[in-house]
């Protein structure tokens, strides 16, 4: 590798854990520190596939469960060339949800195994760090009501949380659990420290493949 690559950092967590808030702050603080950083989120609702997903999430259309799982995965794969280009140019990617949400949400539905759900995402660029923002349902409730999108119910979110816990048992991925009940600034300080250290570790390593 001619120049140092950027790091791939993913934020995951349940509804209202603060992922979007923290992704935005992290990109700002990387840039303030003179490091190139770019924010991405999945689903990316701007693409043709993303628009189908968005309509499904907003309950404006229905899609068969396997089909929508594959669309979420396709929405990541369509952005892989851009992701690799940015990483190789030295830009750190901060990503709001990734394949782990894909697996946790679909496998929380009846009759879906974690193994089946992982399949379409095997080989995606592997994150150098996955920050899991942990928040209890009570603390999440203090941040406002659920929204009106599909999946935004307490029973479904509890099943999703259980699936995330199963995924975090695997040590092939660099998971770090963050106490998301702290103040926005405290959470940010923890995340920033772990992210800068992940960048230093990643700079001279090739981009690996997820779950392979
Ligand atoms: N999905 C899927 O099924 N398959 C897939 O492959 C993928 C996703 C990638 C996308 O939702 C849905 O698609 C999602 C998973 C599914 N369904 N659900 N649920 P989205 O990405 O468009 O939206 P979201 O991820 O659900 O957003 P969120 O979880 O509701 O929010 P958040 O990003 O974690 O939190 P936030 O917006 O930063 O903050 C929420 C509020 O809390 C806000 O008022 C903040 O000001 C406040 N906040 C944040 N941090 C704090 C702290 N520390 N203290 C106090 N208040 C705070």
């Amino acid at each position: 590798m001619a120049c140092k690559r950027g790091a791939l950092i993913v934020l995951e967590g349940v509804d209202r854990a603060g992922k979007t808030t923290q992704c935005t702050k992290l990109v700002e603080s990387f840039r303030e520190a003179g490091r190139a950083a770019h924010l991405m989120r999945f689903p990316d609702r701007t693409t043709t596939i993303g628009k189908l997903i968005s309509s499904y999430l907003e309950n404006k259309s229905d899609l068969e469960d396997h089909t929508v799982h594959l669309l979420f995965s396709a929405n990541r794969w369509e952005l892989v060339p851009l992701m690799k280009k940015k990483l190789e140019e030295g830009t750190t990617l901060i990503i709001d949800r990734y394949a782990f949400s894909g697996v946790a949400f679909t496998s929380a539905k009846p009759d879906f195994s974690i193994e089946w759900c992982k399949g379409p995402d095997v080989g995606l660029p592997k994150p150098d760090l996955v920050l899991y923002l942990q928040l209890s349902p009570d603390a999440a409730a203090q941040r406002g009501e659920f929204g009106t999108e599909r999946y935004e119910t307490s029973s479904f979110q509890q099943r999703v949380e259980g699936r995330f816990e199963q995924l975090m048992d695997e040590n092939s991925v660099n998971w770090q659990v963050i106490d998301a009940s702290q103040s926005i600034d405290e959470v940010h300080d923890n995340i920033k420290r772990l992210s800068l250290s992940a960048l230093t570790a990643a700079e001279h390593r090739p981009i690996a493949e997820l779950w392979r």
Side-chain angles (χ1 to χ4, degrees):
M1 219 177 325
C3 71
K4 295 176 181 174
R5 73 164 169 96
L8 203 171
I9 297 168
V10 168
L11 273 76
E12 289 280 9
V14 288
D15 200 73
R16 289 161 295 166
K19 299 173 295 297
T20 305
T21 305
Q22 294 298 333
C23 282
T24 308
K25 282 181 79 69
L26 193 53
V27 168
E28 280 165 12
S29 68
F30 262 75
R31 289 182 182 159
E32 279 163 18
R35 316 301 298 248
H38 179 74
L39 176 62
M40 294 180 81
R41 68 176 307 154
F42 290 111
D44 179 335
R45 302 188 193 217
T46 66
T47 71
T48 304
I49 294 170
K51 288 183 180 126
L52 291 174
I53 295 172
S54 188
S55 160
Y56 169 82
L57 287 172
E58 291 168 14
N59 290 307
K60 291 180 181 160
S61 63
D62 278 324
L63 287 165
E64 192 276 332
D65 287 330
H66 299 79
T67 309
V68 76
H69 182 75
L70 297 173
L71 286 176
F72 272 112
S73 177
N75 183 232
R76 287 182 276 280
W77 279 107
E78 67 180 333
L79 286 154
V80 166
L82 174 70
M83 289 170 66
K84 287 190 170 166
K85 181 171 176 289
K86 288 206 170 285
L87 289 170
E88 281 156 8
E89 284 169 356
T91 300
T92 287
L93 298 180
I94 312 290
I95 307 190
D96 191 346
R97 295 195 187 272
Y98 197 50
F100 312 99
S101 278
V103 174
F105 277 77
T106 303
S107 68
K109 297 179 178 179
D111 302 327
F112 280 90
S113 71
I114 285 195
E115 271 329 291
W116 186 88
C117 293
K118 279 178 167 177
D121 285 317
V122 169
L124 279 176
K126 180 178 177 176
D128 299 294
L129 173 65
V130 186
L131 296 155
Y132 182 76
L133 272 55
Q134 195 161 55
L135 191 68
S136 68
D138 285 349
Q142 286 168 18
R143 296 183 184 176
E145 300 295 315
F146 280 112
T148 54
E149 289 205 332
R150 205 181 285 262
Y151 303 149
E152 292 184 327
T153 65
S154 129
S155 58
F156 192 73
Q157 293 286 330
Q158 271 171 30
R159 289 206 297 280
V160 169
E161 198 176 347
R163 294 307 202 178
F164 271 125
E165 279 161 13
Q166 279 178 264
L167 287 172
M168 282 188 281
D169 279 343
E170 292 173 16
N171 50 20
S172 69
V173 172
N174 180 16
W175 287 96
Q176 296 288 334
V177 178
I178 304 290
D179 175 3
S181 69
Q182 302 172 96
S183 74
I184 290 177
D185 286 340
E186 283 167 331
V187 175
H188 173 64
D189 287 346
N190 287 335
I191 284 179
K192 183 177 161 191
R193 181 177 43 80
L194 291 164
S195 301
L196 287 170
S197 123
L199 174 58
T200 309
E203 278 174 337
H204 295 288
R205 278 201 315 245
I207 303 164
E209 295 183 333
L210 181 62
W211 293 322
R212 194 169 261 162

